[in-house]
Amino acid sequence: MPRGRGICKQILLHGCSIILLHRFKHDKHGQDVVATIMPTPIMRKSQQYLAQAILMTMLISLSQSAWSKMTVMPDAEMSEATGQSLLNLTYVAPGASGNNNMVDGSTTANVGFYRVGLQATTSINTNIQSLQLGCGGVNGPGCDINLSNVSLTGLNPGADGSYASSDATITNPYLEFAIKNPTSLSTREVEGFRIGAASILGRLSIGTNDDTTTTADDTGISSLSGNLTVNITNGKLNNIKIGGGLLTTTATIANYSSTQSLTRASTITLNGISATTGSLKLGGILPTISNLTLSNITLDSEPLSSVHNLALTNADGTATSDAYLSLQKTALKWQTISTGAFDAPAAQTGWWLSLPSITINNLNSNNEIDIPLLTALTGVFGTQVILPAFDLAQTPIQNCYGTLKFC
């Protein structure tokens, strides 16, 4: 007797799992259907009754002849059936898993989190001419986030050499709500929501930079609220002048990482950068010593508008995890999806962008950087060397077909 395919479906209901197994048999008399419900050990009685009700509702659409011919599915056949749910529903109660969020003067945790996630990998290539969030409102004049000419693409160009044919990869996207007093029908309310993903691999291009010798014409990030970890790899400064040009040299920046929390920021300061010089040339001509290390460099008040090209990766090139965009009435600590902990910096009131790892690759600036002679000499011994803001010489990618710069 011919037999059809076995199908397995899984439904997640508030911590419980229901496996629906269907077996189809075909013969001259019609179709036999077998369905089995497998509650998990943690299901309560009420959840089992709900699961059974769902199962019966699904089966009601089958023909009357199929209902009259239900048979038992052997354990061996059941063990061959596998499956995975498309949607994943998660609830974190106040006080659970380190969720100690307290709002509105509460002395105990009183915020619960409801998340619906899509167990899938999605691809996206998009351009946004202007992204303005949280302008005015509770945080006053200005915007929480204000970006222009934003492009999200794949990490590298597509097969035709264009970023327009390259997609960013988003794994397990989700939507989550923070609910105050989640168990109280009379006082519960939404405290915030966020959209995010378990991981993102791609490239974020922002703004314009027609002249890479000055920051005066750079556009892109006008203001930014969020937490981000900035990685710099393979960085080089090619035009350093010491003592007004008495000595000239280059410098190679050691791999660097810094975590920042910003609120409506237009500049960023990076501390603790280390760099090794090339040959120091007297008067720009006569070589002297080389390979001096300055271990305490600060890039002071660098305009965020000079940042135009960010890889959404960890320093080793793997996908960045736990990125999200949120809106909240008061400061909240959202759960870190990859670890389950509530240990990330608190998202502040208003709109908040969390990028736990972004990378500036191949920073290569020819802009002149002047360092006083005494500062350079003492910097060899660990004294702070402050670099003034300079154009990072980054240019946005072209995410359009043809000659258009932005589309």
Side-chain angles (χ1 to χ4, degrees), residues 212 232-242 248-254 270 273-280 292 294 297-300 302 360 362-371 385-394:
T212 59
I232 299 177
T233 61
N234 195 27
K236 192 167 185 181
L237 307 177
N238 300 313
N239 189 8
I240 299 176
K241 291 186 177 182
I242 300 174
T248 63
T249 188
T250 62
T252 300
I253 300 174
L270 303 178
I273 299 173
S274 180
T276 302
T277 69
S279 175
L280 275 71
L292 298 179
L294 306 179
I297 299 173
T298 293
L299 179 56
D300 188 40
E302 180 69 23
I360 300 177
N362 302 319
L363 177 64
N364 193 10
S365 176
N366 293 316
N367 291 290
E368 182 178 305
I369 299 174
D370 292 312
I371 303 176
V385 177
I386 299 177
L387 299 184
F390 61 93
D391 195 306
L392 300 179
Q394 286 193 314

Side-chain angles (χ1 to χ4, degrees), residues 118-123 168-174 196-201 319-320 322-323 337:
L118 186 65
Q119 302 296 300
T121 298
T122 62
S123 299
T169 301
I170 300 176
T171 303
N172 297 349
Y174 63 82
S199 67
I200 300 177
L201 181 64
T320 184
D322 304 309
I337 303 299

